Amino acid sequence: VKLLSQFREGGGKLEDKELIAWANGKLTDSGKPTISGFRDPQIKNATAILNLIDAVSPGCVDYSLVQDNAELDARFAISQARKIGARVYALPQHLVDQNTKMILTIIACLMLLDFQLKRDKEE
């Protein structure tokens, strides 16, 4: 989260609601359902995280591999996040258990990656 404040205008600490707003903006822009917060049911089954990964890196998620099994889909989501370059330290169980602090770190890592990708395109 500290790294994200470097990309934020004026610096300062990033609030949880700003992470949710960013995630919902990305999801809306890509035509995916938004989330209500870190305890949204879509997070528990990894759908929201997969959708967010696909919004950051369009076309990278093969939805035919989603198995409608929370544990397996969470594992798939974490591996996809790492595959696109997000430095995710959370475990699949953190999604299934809806560990809000670890979910926050996943979204923050995806947000940081998105900012870095945008910056690299501009350079």
Side-chain angles (χ1 to χ4, degrees):
V1 177
K2 286 184 181 181
L3 284 172
L4 282 171
S5 40
Q6 294 173 6
F7 290 96
R8 190 168 180 238
E9 286 183 30
K13 186 178 181 205
L14 197 64
E15 301 291 329
D16 293 359
K17 64 182 177 182
E18 292 174 284
L19 284 168
I20 296 297
W22 170 83
N24 282 334
K26 292 298 288 185
L27 291 167
T28 299
D29 290 348
S30 64
K32 309 280 189 201
T34 59
I35 57 174
S36 58
F38 296 121
R39 289 201 172 270
D40 192 289
Q42 293 181 78
I43 292 176
K44 185 174 184 164
N45 68 16
T47 303
I49 300 300
L50 286 167
N51 288 340
L52 190 54
I53 292 165
D54 198 53
V56 170
S57 182
C60 74
V61 175
D62 182 355
Y63 286 96
S64 70
L65 298 175
V66 176
Q67 299 184 19
D68 201 25
N69 175 303
E71 183 74 32
L72 294 175
D73 293 343
R75 186 176 300 156
F76 179 56
I78 297 294
S79 70
Q80 288 300 111
R82 291 176 180 151
K83 182 178 174 182
I84 66 168
R87 294 183 180 188
V88 174
Y89 301 103
L91 301 173
Q93 197 62 39
H94 292 136
L95 288 176
V96 175
D97 293 343
Q98 291 190 302
N99 181 318
T100 56
K101 288 184 181 184
M102 295 309 289
I103 291 168
L104 179 146
T105 67
I106 294 168
I107 294 174
C109 288
L110 290 169
M111 185 179 191
L112 180 61
L113 176 65
D114 186 50
F115 288 157
Q116 290 170 334
L117 292 172
K118 284 180 183 174
R119 183 191 64 202
D120 291 348
K121 276 185 183 178
E122 292 172 0
E123 292 178 357

